[in-house]
Amino acid sequence: MDSKVKLLTLSTVTLALSYLTIGTVLAQGKLTNQSKLSINGIGQVRVGMTVSQASKAAGTKLVGDPPNNNCYYVKPQNEPKNLSFMVTEGRISRVDVQQNTQITTLKGAKIGDTEAQIKSLYPGQIKVTPHKYVQGGHYLTLIPKDRADQKYRVIFETDGKRVTQFRSGKLPEVEFVEGCS
């Protein structure tokens, strides 16, 4: 093989790998049911972003209530379903997961898990309090150990046995029982 063919082959392989890498990076950025909920966001979307920044990070348009200064919700235009973002003072402040059993936390917690499973995933970090509206239900609040994360929480709502919905975000919004109401 002469040097021109080797160079052309090498260039073609490099270019193909570059496209593959870019495609993978873009795929990682898109919000899906496989996106992981963290203490301060989900996937590439972070608490503190504007709706515009969050839409770009999510790789999908976020739509919902008309913007107001106090509090409103937006959600991905298509997928994932039953995922919403609370917006306060023009920025994402919390992420809510309802009726979506595919989305999990970074440690794998999800709707349908038992209270014992949540406590075992986060040993010594769960504060249990009575649910305001569900008799026998609880709020299992993940209080982070890391000092840098002290203003964030993950809250799992249960029926007394299993997780029925969960959310993450910054204080005080993450603790608003009635969302924006």
Side-chain angles (χ1 to χ4, degrees), residues 12-109:
T12 305
V13 169
T14 304
L15 193 59
L17 287 173
S18 296
Y19 278 119
L20 194 61
T21 304
I22 290 166
T24 304
V25 169
L26 290 174
Q28 287 172 344
K30 183 146 175 64
L31 207 53
T32 69
N33 284 319
Q34 284 67 52
S35 297
K36 302 296 181 206
L37 184 97
S38 66
I39 201 151
N40 65 347
I42 185 167
Q44 303 297 318
V45 178
R46 291 285 164 260
V47 166
M49 288 180 165
T50 63
V51 174
S52 174
Q53 290 168 331
S55 289
K56 282 187 186 116
T60 185
K61 189 172 182 178
L62 298 178
V63 297
D65 301 333
N68 68 55
N69 289 333
N70 300 326
C71 186
Y72 65 100
Y73 277 92
V74 294
K75 61 184 191 269
Q77 190 166 27
N78 299 310
E79 294 288 326
K81 298 280 185 225
N82 301 304
L83 174 72
S84 57
F85 299 93
M86 179 186 280
V87 182
T88 53
E89 297 175 9
R91 297 189 176 272
I92 303 295
S93 56
R94 130 179 174 180
V95 183
D96 291 60
V97 179
Q98 299 171 308
Q99 303 168 338
N100 185 323
T101 56
Q102 292 180 287
I103 293 177
T104 70
T105 65
L106 292 171
K107 290 205 174 190

Side-chain angles (χ1 to χ4, degrees), residues 37-41 86 93-98 105 109-111 118 122 125-132 137-144 151-158 162-179:
L37 184 97
S38 66
I39 201 151
N40 65 347
M86 179 186 280
S93 56
R94 130 179 174 180
V95 183
D96 291 60
V97 179
Q98 299 171 308
T105 65
K110 64 186 182 309
I111 291 174
I118 299 302
Y122 304 99
Q125 291 182 273
I126 298 292
K127 176 182 164 194
V128 181
T129 54
H131 198 290
K132 188 173 177 181
H138 298 110
Y139 299 110
L140 305 182
T141 303
L142 167 62
I143 301 172
K151 66 179 181 179
Y152 301 102
R153 300 285 185 270
V154 177
I155 300 177
F156 301 92
E157 292 191 31
T158 77
R162 295 188 177 274
V163 174
T164 57
Q165 58 188 354
F166 60 106
R167 60 185 178 266
S168 75
K170 73 181 187 76
L171 293 169
E173 291 91 336
V174 71
E175 292 183 330
F176 292 173
V177 173
E178 290 147 2

